[in-house]
PDB file of all heavy atoms in Angstrom:
ATOM      1  N   GLY A   1     -51.213 -43.343   4.060  1.00  0.00           N
ATOM      2  CA  GLY A   1     -51.100 -43.492   5.613  1.00  0.00           C
ATOM      3  C   GLY A   1     -49.736 -42.825   6.029  1.00  0.00           C
ATOM      4  O   GLY A   1     -49.915 -42.138   7.111  1.00  0.00           O
ATOM      5  N   HIS A   2     -48.708 -42.909   5.359  1.00  0.00           N
ATOM      6  CA  HIS A   2     -47.492 -42.245   5.813  1.00  0.00           C
ATOM      7  C   HIS A   2     -47.607 -40.679   5.710  1.00  0.00           C
ATOM      8  O   HIS A   2     -47.073 -40.042   6.524  1.00  0.00           O
ATOM      9  CB  HIS A   2     -46.337 -42.896   5.171  1.00  0.00           C
ATOM     10  CG  HIS A   2     -45.877 -44.210   5.659  1.00  0.00           C
ATOM     11  ND1 HIS A   2     -45.048 -44.380   6.819  1.00  0.00           N
ATOM     12  CD2 HIS A   2     -46.227 -45.419   5.296  1.00  0.00           C
ATOM     13  CE1 HIS A   2     -44.904 -45.695   7.084  1.00  0.00           C
ATOM     14  NE2 HIS A   2     -45.605 -46.315   6.147  1.00  0.00           N
ATOM     15  N   TYR A   3     -48.221 -40.268   4.543  1.00  0.00           N
ATOM     16  CA  TYR A   3     -48.492 -38.871   4.408  1.00  0.00           C
ATOM     17  C   TYR A   3     -49.240 -38.288   5.489  1.00  0.00           C
ATOM     18  O   TYR A   3     -48.976 -37.203   6.016  1.00  0.00           O
ATOM     19  CB  TYR A   3     -49.224 -38.590   3.109  1.00  0.00           C
ATOM     20  CG  TYR A   3     -48.199 -38.233   1.943  1.00  0.00           C
ATOM     21  CD1 TYR A   3     -47.647 -39.162   1.166  1.00  0.00           C
ATOM     22  CD2 TYR A   3     -47.892 -36.967   1.608  1.00  0.00           C
ATOM     23  CE1 TYR A   3     -46.742 -38.978   0.069  1.00  0.00           C
ATOM     24  CE2 TYR A   3     -47.023 -36.660   0.563  1.00  0.00           C
ATOM     25  CZ  TYR A   3     -46.386 -37.680  -0.198  1.00  0.00           C
ATOM     26  OH  TYR A   3     -45.613 -37.242  -1.255  1.00  0.00           O
ATOM     27  N   PHE A   4     -50.327 -38.990   5.926  1.00  0.00           N
ATOM     28  CA  PHE A   4     -51.224 -38.558   6.983  1.00  0.00           C
ATOM     29  C   PHE A   4     -50.545 -38.489   8.261  1.00  0.00           C
ATOM     30  O   PHE A   4     -50.761 -37.675   8.973  1.00  0.00           O
ATOM     31  CB  PHE A   4     -52.419 -39.638   7.083  1.00  0.00           C
ATOM     32  CG  PHE A   4     -53.768 -39.041   7.432  1.00  0.00           C
ATOM     33  CD1 PHE A   4     -54.666 -38.735   6.487  1.00  0.00           C
ATOM     34  CD2 PHE A   4     -54.015 -38.799   8.730  1.00  0.00           C
ATOM     35  CE1 PHE A   4     -55.958 -38.169   6.943  1.00  0.00           C
ATOM     36  CE2 PHE A   4     -55.161 -38.270   9.089  1.00  0.00           C
ATOM     37  CZ  PHE A   4     -56.182 -37.915   8.159  1.00  0.00           C
ATOM     38  N   ASN A   5     -49.741 -39.444   8.538  1.00  0.00           N
ATOM     39  CA  ASN A   5     -49.055 -39.554   9.799  1.00  0.00           C
ATOM     40  C   ASN A   5     -47.976 -38.331   9.861  1.00  0.00           C
ATOM     41  O   ASN A   5     -47.794 -37.688  10.866  1.00  0.00           O
ATOM     42  CB  ASN A   5     -48.297 -40.840  10.016  1.00  0.00           C
ATOM     43  CG  ASN A   5     -47.545 -40.982  11.271  1.00  0.00           C
ATOM     44  OD1 ASN A   5     -48.193 -40.992  12.356  1.00  0.00           O
ATOM     45  ND2 ASN A   5     -46.224 -41.054  11.282  1.00  0.00           N
ATOM     46  N   GLU A   6     -47.315 -38.054   8.779  1.00  0.00           N
ATOM     47  CA  GLU A   6     -46.304 -36.929   8.744  1.00  0.00           C
ATOM     48  C   GLU A   6     -47.049 -35.694   9.000  1.00  0.00           C
ATOM     49  O   GLU A   6     -46.569 -34.770   9.727  1.00  0.00           O
ATOM     50  CB  GLU A   6     -45.783 -36.885   7.299  1.00  0.00           C
ATOM     51  CG  GLU A   6     -44.620 -35.857   7.146  1.00  0.00           C
ATOM     52  CD  GLU A   6     -44.022 -35.791   5.863  1.00  0.00           C
ATOM     53  OE1 GLU A   6     -44.191 -36.802   5.034  1.00  0.00           O
ATOM     54  OE2 GLU A   6     -43.214 -34.763   5.565  1.00  0.00           O
ATOM     55  N   LYS A   7     -48.222 -35.447   8.504  1.00  0.00           N
ATOM     56  CA  LYS A   7     -48.947 -34.229   8.715  1.00  0.00           C
ATOM     57  C   LYS A   7     -49.511 -34.153  10.174  1.00  0.00           C
ATOM     58  O   LYS A   7     -49.432 -33.111  10.881  1.00  0.00           O
ATOM     59  CB  LYS A   7     -50.135 -34.062   7.754  1.00  0.00           C
ATOM     60  CG  LYS A   7     -51.037 -32.851   7.927  1.00  0.00           C
ATOM     61  CD  LYS A   7     -50.227 -31.614   7.923  1.00  0.00           C
ATOM     62  CE  LYS A   7     -49.588 -31.339   6.616  1.00  0.00           C
ATOM     63  NZ  LYS A   7     -49.043 -29.913   6.538  1.00  0.00           N
ATOM     64  N   ALA A   8     -49.956 -35.326  10.703  1.00  0.00           N
ATOM     65  CA  ALA A   8     -50.529 -35.335  12.068  1.00  0.00           C
ATOM     66  C   ALA A   8     -49.322 -35.031  13.068  1.00  0.00           C
ATOM     67  O   ALA A   8     -49.533 -34.437  14.025  1.00  0.00           O
ATOM     68  CB  ALA A   8     -51.035 -36.703  12.347  1.00  0.00           C
ATOM     69  N   LEU A   9     -48.172 -35.409  12.737  1.00  0.00           N
ATOM     70  CA  LEU A   9     -46.970 -35.126  13.634  1.00  0.00           C
ATOM     71  C   LEU A   9     -46.772 -33.601  13.757  1.00  0.00           C
ATOM     72  O   LEU A   9     -46.318 -33.137  14.710  1.00  0.00           O
ATOM     73  CB  LEU A   9     -45.700 -35.750  13.137  1.00  0.00           C
ATOM     74  CG  LEU A   9     -45.497 -37.221  13.329  1.00  0.00           C
ATOM     75  CD1 LEU A   9     -44.306 -37.802  12.606  1.00  0.00           C
ATOM     76  CD2 LEU A   9     -45.445 -37.536  14.855  1.00  0.00           C
ATOM     77  N   GLU A  10     -47.042 -32.860  12.646  1.00  0.00           N
ATOM     78  CA  GLU A  10     -46.931 -31.397  12.701  1.00  0.00           C
ATOM     79  C   GLU A  10     -47.831 -30.871  13.657  1.00  0.00           C
ATOM     80  O   GLU A  10     -47.557 -29.770  14.271  1.00  0.00           O
ATOM     81  CB  GLU A  10     -47.091 -30.823  11.239  1.00  0.00           C
ATOM     82  CG  GLU A  10     -46.023 -31.208  10.277  1.00  0.00           C
ATOM     83  CD  GLU A  10     -46.425 -30.599   8.974  1.00  0.00           C
ATOM     84  OE1 GLU A  10     -47.172 -29.624   8.926  1.00  0.00           O
ATOM     85  OE2 GLU A  10     -45.880 -31.123   7.841  1.00  0.00           O
ATOM     86  N   PHE A  11     -49.082 -31.279  13.701  1.00  0.00           N
ATOM     87  CA  PHE A  11     -50.027 -30.773  14.615  1.00  0.00           C
ATOM     88  C   PHE A  11     -49.958 -31.193  16.049  1.00  0.00           C
ATOM     89  O   PHE A  11     -50.350 -30.559  16.982  1.00  0.00           O
ATOM     90  CB  PHE A  11     -51.460 -31.003  14.087  1.00  0.00           C
ATOM     91  CG  PHE A  11     -51.776 -30.428  12.805  1.00  0.00           C
ATOM     92  CD1 PHE A  11     -52.346 -31.217  11.770  1.00  0.00           C
ATOM     93  CD2 PHE A  11     -51.503 -29.104  12.592  1.00  0.00           C
ATOM     94  CE1 PHE A  11     -52.549 -30.687  10.535  1.00  0.00           C
ATOM     95  CE2 PHE A  11     -51.764 -28.482  11.286  1.00  0.00           C
ATOM     96  CZ  PHE A  11     -52.254 -29.269  10.253  1.00  0.00           C
ATOM     97  N   GLU A  12     -49.327 -32.405  16.307  1.00  0.00           N
ATOM     98  CA  GLU A  12     -49.321 -32.994  17.564  1.00  0.00           C
ATOM     99  C   GLU A  12     -47.806 -33.395  17.951  1.00  0.00           C
ATOM    100  O   GLU A  12     -47.560 -34.490  18.345  1.00  0.00           O
ATOM    101  CB  GLU A  12     -50.174 -34.329  17.652  1.00  0.00           C
ATOM    102  CG  GLU A  12     -51.709 -34.022  17.409  1.00  0.00           C
ATOM    103  CD  GLU A  12     -52.314 -33.312  18.534  1.00  0.00           C
ATOM    104  OE1 GLU A  12     -51.948 -33.416  19.610  1.00  0.00           O
ATOM    105  OE2 GLU A  12     -53.141 -32.359  18.101  1.00  0.00           O
ATOM    106  N   PRO A  13     -46.956 -32.349  17.930  1.00  0.00           N
ATOM    107  CA  PRO A  13     -45.520 -32.750  18.251  1.00  0.00           C
ATOM    108  C   PRO A  13     -45.358 -33.210  19.588  1.00  0.00           C
ATOM    109  O   PRO A  13     -44.293 -33.846  19.826  1.00  0.00           O
ATOM    110  CB  PRO A  13     -44.808 -31.364  17.815  1.00  0.00           C
ATOM    111  CG  PRO A  13     -45.906 -30.296  18.206  1.00  0.00           C
ATOM    112  CD  PRO A  13     -47.150 -30.911  17.681  1.00  0.00           C
ATOM    113  N   ASP A  14     -46.179 -32.759  20.545  1.00  0.00           N
ATOM    114  CA  ASP A  14     -45.831 -33.039  22.025  1.00  0.00           C
ATOM    115  C   ASP A  14     -46.371 -34.449  22.298  1.00  0.00           C
ATOM    116  O   ASP A  14     -46.166 -34.931  23.474  1.00  0.00           O
ATOM    117  CB  ASP A  14     -46.530 -32.048  22.913  1.00  0.00           C
ATOM    118  CG  ASP A  14     -45.832 -30.677  22.785  1.00  0.00           C
ATOM    119  OD1 ASP A  14     -44.774 -30.584  22.306  1.00  0.00           O
ATOM    120  OD2 ASP A  14     -46.710 -29.623  23.011  1.00  0.00           O
ATOM    121  N   ARG A  15     -47.046 -35.042  21.373  1.00  0.00           N
ATOM    122  CA  ARG A  15     -47.525 -36.351  21.746  1.00  0.00           C
ATOM    123  C   ARG A  15     -46.654 -37.548  21.500  1.00  0.00           C
ATOM    124  O   ARG A  15     -46.849 -38.644  21.823  1.00  0.00           O
ATOM    125  CB  ARG A  15     -48.878 -36.780  20.876  1.00  0.00           C
ATOM    126  CG  ARG A  15     -50.020 -35.819  21.312  1.00  0.00           C
ATOM    127  CD  ARG A  15     -51.371 -36.330  20.679  1.00  0.00           C
ATOM    128  NE  ARG A  15     -52.514 -35.465  21.045  1.00  0.00           N
ATOM    129  CZ  ARG A  15     -53.265 -35.834  22.037  1.00  0.00           C
ATOM    130  NH1 ARG A  15     -52.983 -36.981  22.753  1.00  0.00           N
ATOM    131  NH2 ARG A  15     -54.222 -35.068  22.421  1.00  0.00           N
ATOM    132  N   ALA A  16     -45.446 -37.307  20.908  1.00  0.00           N
ATOM    133  CA  ALA A  16     -44.520 -38.317  20.616  1.00  0.00           C
ATOM    134  C   ALA A  16     -43.898 -38.629  21.947  1.00  0.00           C
ATOM    135  O   ALA A  16     -43.276 -37.824  22.630  1.00  0.00           O
ATOM    136  CB  ALA A  16     -43.417 -37.810  19.601  1.00  0.00           C
ATOM    137  N   PRO A  17     -43.832 -40.079  22.286  1.00  0.00           N
ATOM    138  CA  PRO A  17     -43.083 -40.318  23.528  1.00  0.00           C
ATOM    139  C   PRO A  17     -41.653 -40.049  23.440  1.00  0.00           C
ATOM    140  O   PRO A  17     -41.106 -39.991  22.407  1.00  0.00           O
ATOM    141  CB  PRO A  17     -43.372 -41.889  23.561  1.00  0.00           C
ATOM    142  CG  PRO A  17     -44.561 -42.166  22.626  1.00  0.00           C
ATOM    143  CD  PRO A  17     -44.437 -41.090  21.645  1.00  0.00           C
ATOM    144  N   GLU A  18     -40.930 -39.958  24.608  1.00  0.00           N
ATOM    145  CA  GLU A  18     -39.640 -39.728  24.670  1.00  0.00           C
ATOM    146  C   GLU A  18     -38.819 -40.953  24.160  1.00  0.00           C
ATOM    147  O   GLU A  18     -39.358 -42.085  24.310  1.00  0.00           O
ATOM    148  CB  GLU A  18     -39.225 -39.388  26.044  1.00  0.00           C
ATOM    149  CG  GLU A  18     -39.749 -38.115  26.651  1.00  0.00           C
ATOM    150  CD  GLU A  18     -39.247 -37.763  28.083  1.00  0.00           C
ATOM    151  OE1 GLU A  18     -38.598 -38.693  28.552  1.00  0.00           O
ATOM    152  OE2 GLU A  18     -39.631 -36.784  28.625  1.00  0.00           O
ATOM    153  N   ALA A  19     -37.733 -40.693  23.588  1.00  0.00           N
ATOM    154  CA  ALA A  19     -36.869 -41.900  23.087  1.00  0.00           C
ATOM    155  C   ALA A  19     -36.421 -42.656  24.241  1.00  0.00           C
ATOM    156  O   ALA A  19     -36.130 -42.290  25.251  1.00  0.00           O
ATOM    157  CB  ALA A  19     -35.677 -41.262  22.352  1.00  0.00           C
ATOM    158  N   ALA A  20     -36.564 -44.053  24.074  1.00  0.00           N
ATOM    159  CA  ALA A  20     -36.163 -44.976  25.127  1.00  0.00           C
ATOM    160  C   ALA A  20     -34.578 -45.096  25.155  1.00  0.00           C
ATOM    161  O   ALA A  20     -33.865 -44.846  24.146  1.00  0.00           O
ATOM    162  CB  ALA A  20     -36.646 -46.312  24.717  1.00  0.00           C
ATOM    163  N   ARG A  21     -34.013 -45.394  26.427  1.00  0.00           N
ATOM    164  CA  ARG A  21     -32.739 -45.447  26.494  1.00  0.00           C
ATOM    165  C   ARG A  21     -32.249 -46.787  25.817  1.00  0.00           C
ATOM    166  O   ARG A  21     -32.923 -47.784  25.757  1.00  0.00           O
ATOM    167  CB  ARG A  21     -32.343 -45.590  27.981  1.00  0.00           C
ATOM    168  CG  ARG A  21     -32.584 -44.267  28.639  1.00  0.00           C
ATOM    169  CD  ARG A  21     -32.432 -44.511  30.161  1.00  0.00           C
ATOM    170  NE  ARG A  21     -31.129 -44.919  30.639  1.00  0.00           N
ATOM    171  CZ  ARG A  21     -30.883 -45.299  31.881  1.00  0.00           C
ATOM    172  NH1 ARG A  21     -31.828 -45.113  32.833  1.00  0.00           N
ATOM    173  NH2 ARG A  21     -29.682 -45.748  32.139  1.00  0.00           N
ATOM    174  N   ALA A  22     -31.005 -46.751  25.230  1.00  0.00           N
ATOM    175  CA  ALA A  22     -30.496 -47.980  24.534  1.00  0.00           C
ATOM    176  C   ALA A  22     -30.397 -49.126  25.457  1.00  0.00           C
ATOM    177  O   ALA A  22     -29.936 -48.959  26.654  1.00  0.00           O
ATOM    178  CB  ALA A  22     -29.181 -47.611  23.906  1.00  0.00           C
ATOM    179  N   LEU A  23     -30.602 -50.274  24.897  1.00  0.00           N
ATOM    180  CA  LEU A  23     -30.401 -51.597  25.631  1.00  0.00           C
ATOM    181  C   LEU A  23     -29.225 -52.123  25.305  1.00  0.00           C
ATOM    182  O   LEU A  23     -28.594 -52.003  24.154  1.00  0.00           O
ATOM    183  CB  LEU A  23     -31.586 -52.556  25.274  1.00  0.00           C
ATOM    184  CG  LEU A  23     -33.073 -52.134  25.590  1.00  0.00           C
ATOM    185  CD1 LEU A  23     -33.958 -53.389  25.196  1.00  0.00           C
ATOM    186  CD2 LEU A  23     -33.233 -51.850  26.950  1.00  0.00           C
ATOM    187  N   SER A  24     -28.505 -52.930  26.224  1.00  0.00           N
ATOM    188  CA  SER A  24     -27.281 -53.609  26.029  1.00  0.00           C
ATOM    189  C   SER A  24     -27.593 -54.783  25.143  1.00  0.00           C
ATOM    190  O   SER A  24     -28.745 -55.279  24.934  1.00  0.00           O
ATOM    191  CB  SER A  24     -26.602 -54.020  27.274  1.00  0.00           C
ATOM    192  OG  SER A  24     -27.424 -55.118  27.857  1.00  0.00           O
ATOM    193  N   PRO A  25     -26.527 -55.311  24.483  1.00  0.00           N
ATOM    194  CA  PRO A  25     -26.755 -56.510  23.573  1.00  0.00           C
ATOM    195  C   PRO A  25     -27.373 -57.703  24.327  1.00  0.00           C
ATOM    196  O   PRO A  25     -28.264 -58.322  23.653  1.00  0.00           O
ATOM    197  CB  PRO A  25     -25.261 -56.857  23.140  1.00  0.00           C
ATOM    198  CG  PRO A  25     -24.566 -55.578  23.123  1.00  0.00           C
ATOM    199  CD  PRO A  25     -25.139 -54.833  24.406  1.00  0.00           C
ATOM    200  N   ARG A  26     -27.008 -57.869  25.600  1.00  0.00           N
ATOM    201  CA  ARG A  26     -27.562 -59.041  26.262  1.00  0.00           C
ATOM    202  C   ARG A  26     -29.149 -58.744  26.609  1.00  0.00           C
ATOM    203  O   ARG A  26     -29.986 -59.672  26.643  1.00  0.00           O
ATOM    204  CB  ARG A  26     -26.917 -59.234  27.587  1.00  0.00           C
ATOM    205  CG  ARG A  26     -25.655 -60.156  27.441  1.00  0.00           C
ATOM    206  CD  ARG A  26     -26.032 -61.540  26.760  1.00  0.00           C
ATOM    207  NE  ARG A  26     -25.048 -62.582  27.140  1.00  0.00           N
ATOM    208  CZ  ARG A  26     -25.092 -63.776  26.580  1.00  0.00           C
ATOM    209  NH1 ARG A  26     -25.950 -64.164  25.625  1.00  0.00           N
ATOM    210  NH2 ARG A  26     -24.240 -64.702  26.887  1.00  0.00           N
ATOM    211  N   GLU A  27     -29.351 -57.488  26.946  1.00  0.00           N
ATOM    212  CA  GLU A  27     -30.656 -57.031  27.148  1.00  0.00           C
ATOM    213  C   GLU A  27     -31.586 -57.289  25.921  1.00  0.00           C
ATOM    214  O   GLU A  27     -32.778 -57.652  26.039  1.00  0.00           O
ATOM    215  CB  GLU A  27     -30.779 -55.587  27.760  1.00  0.00           C
ATOM    216  CG  GLU A  27     -30.307 -55.504  29.170  1.00  0.00           C
ATOM    217  CD  GLU A  27     -29.906 -54.120  29.499  1.00  0.00           C
ATOM    218  OE1 GLU A  27     -30.068 -53.235  28.620  1.00  0.00           O
ATOM    219  OE2 GLU A  27     -29.573 -53.803  30.654  1.00  0.00           O
ATOM    220  N   VAL A  28     -31.114 -56.903  24.793  1.00  0.00           N
ATOM    221  CA  VAL A  28     -31.734 -57.046  23.454  1.00  0.00           C
ATOM    222  C   VAL A  28     -32.028 -58.571  23.218  1.00  0.00           C
ATOM    223  O   VAL A  28     -33.086 -58.865  22.938  1.00  0.00           O
ATOM    224  CB  VAL A  28     -30.955 -56.437  22.305  1.00  0.00           C
ATOM    225  CG1 VAL A  28     -31.470 -56.916  20.986  1.00  0.00           C
ATOM    226  CG2 VAL A  28     -30.834 -54.977  22.422  1.00  0.00           C
ATOM    227  N   ASP A  29     -31.025 -59.437  23.470  1.00  0.00           N
ATOM    228  CA  ASP A  29     -31.331 -60.772  23.358  1.00  0.00           C
ATOM    229  C   ASP A  29     -32.316 -61.362  24.229  1.00  0.00           C
ATOM    230  O   ASP A  29     -33.264 -62.090  23.741  1.00  0.00           O
ATOM    231  CB  ASP A  29     -30.045 -61.595  23.665  1.00  0.00           C
ATOM    232  CG  ASP A  29     -28.806 -61.383  22.748  1.00  0.00           C
ATOM    233  OD1 ASP A  29     -29.200 -60.987  21.533  1.00  0.00           O
ATOM    234  OD2 ASP A  29     -27.686 -61.657  23.053  1.00  0.00           O
ATOM    235  N   ALA A  30     -32.330 -60.883  25.454  1.00  0.00           N
ATOM    236  CA  ALA A  30     -33.302 -61.395  26.456  1.00  0.00           C
ATOM    237  C   ALA A  30     -34.672 -61.000  26.025  1.00  0.00           C
ATOM    238  O   ALA A  30     -35.625 -61.831  26.026  1.00  0.00           O
ATOM    239  CB  ALA A  30     -33.043 -60.805  27.890  1.00  0.00           C
ATOM    240  N   MET A  31     -34.915 -59.669  25.703  1.00  0.00           N
ATOM    241  CA  MET A  31     -36.198 -59.173  25.250  1.00  0.00           C
ATOM    242  C   MET A  31     -36.730 -59.762  24.086  1.00  0.00           C
ATOM    243  O   MET A  31     -37.948 -60.090  23.847  1.00  0.00           O
ATOM    244  CB  MET A  31     -36.144 -57.637  25.099  1.00  0.00           C
ATOM    245  CG  MET A  31     -35.955 -56.817  26.325  1.00  0.00           C
ATOM    246  SD  MET A  31     -37.432 -56.796  27.330  1.00  0.00           S
ATOM    247  CE  MET A  31     -36.859 -57.968  28.650  1.00  0.00           C
ATOM    248  N   THR A  32     -35.882 -60.087  23.020  1.00  0.00           N
ATOM    249  CA  THR A  32     -36.137 -60.672  21.816  1.00  0.00           C
ATOM    250  C   THR A  32     -36.600 -62.169  22.009  1.00  0.00           C
ATOM    251  O   THR A  32     -37.804 -62.462  21.484  1.00  0.00           O
ATOM    252  CB  THR A  32     -34.960 -60.693  20.853  1.00  0.00           C
ATOM    253  OG1 THR A  32     -34.421 -59.372  20.633  1.00  0.00           O
ATOM    254  CG2 THR A  32     -35.318 -61.495  19.488  1.00  0.00           C
ATOM    255  N   PHE A  33     -35.931 -62.939  22.854  1.00  0.00           N
ATOM    256  CA  PHE A  33     -36.383 -64.267  23.061  1.00  0.00           C
ATOM    257  C   PHE A  33     -37.791 -64.348  23.778  1.00  0.00           C
ATOM    258  O   PHE A  33     -38.685 -65.187  23.616  1.00  0.00           O
ATOM    259  CB  PHE A  33     -35.330 -65.155  23.846  1.00  0.00           C
ATOM    260  CG  PHE A  33     -34.206 -65.567  22.892  1.00  0.00           C
ATOM    261  CD1 PHE A  33     -32.852 -65.171  23.225  1.00  0.00           C
ATOM    262  CD2 PHE A  33     -34.504 -66.350  21.778  1.00  0.00           C
ATOM    263  CE1 PHE A  33     -31.831 -65.515  22.368  1.00  0.00           C
ATOM    264  CE2 PHE A  33     -33.343 -66.750  20.858  1.00  0.00           C
ATOM    265  CZ  PHE A  33     -32.108 -66.273  21.228  1.00  0.00           C
ATOM    266  N   LEU A  34     -37.930 -63.439  24.741  1.00  0.00           N
ATOM    267  CA  LEU A  34     -39.213 -63.346  25.484  1.00  0.00           C
ATOM    268  C   LEU A  34     -40.268 -63.007  24.495  1.00  0.00           C
ATOM    269  O   LEU A  34     -41.456 -63.446  24.614  1.00  0.00           O
ATOM    270  CB  LEU A  34     -39.096 -62.348  26.659  1.00  0.00           C
ATOM    271  CG  LEU A  34     -38.255 -62.678  27.790  1.00  0.00           C
ATOM    272  CD1 LEU A  34     -38.104 -61.468  28.768  1.00  0.00           C
ATOM    273  CD2 LEU A  34     -38.852 -63.893  28.517  1.00  0.00           C
ATOM    274  N   ALA A  35     -40.014 -62.057  23.629  1.00  0.00           N
ATOM    275  CA  ALA A  35     -41.060 -61.671  22.665  1.00  0.00           C
ATOM    276  C   ALA A  35     -41.444 -62.764  21.738  1.00  0.00           C
ATOM    277  O   ALA A  35     -42.564 -62.767  21.198  1.00  0.00           O
ATOM    278  CB  ALA A  35     -40.516 -60.422  21.822  1.00  0.00           C
ATOM    279  N   MET A  36     -40.402 -63.714  21.454  1.00  0.00           N
ATOM    280  CA  MET A  36     -40.716 -64.911  20.698  1.00  0.00           C
ATOM    281  C   MET A  36     -41.534 -65.938  21.407  1.00  0.00           C
ATOM    282  O   MET A  36     -41.901 -67.045  20.743  1.00  0.00           O
ATOM    283  CB  MET A  36     -39.427 -65.367  20.161  1.00  0.00           C
ATOM    284  CG  MET A  36     -38.616 -64.475  19.119  1.00  0.00           C
ATOM    285  SD  MET A  36     -37.007 -65.041  18.949  1.00  0.00           S
ATOM    286  CE  MET A  36     -37.196 -66.694  18.093  1.00  0.00           C
TER     287      MET A  36
END
C-alpha cells in the first residue's frame, strides 16, 4: 500500500492539498476535544 502510494505521488504531484497553517496550542486542544 505504501509503495503504491509513493508511486502514485510521482504521477499526481499536483493533487496533494496545500499544507495547513499551524494551529496554536489552545486551538489544538479545542479541536482535539471536539474530535473526541
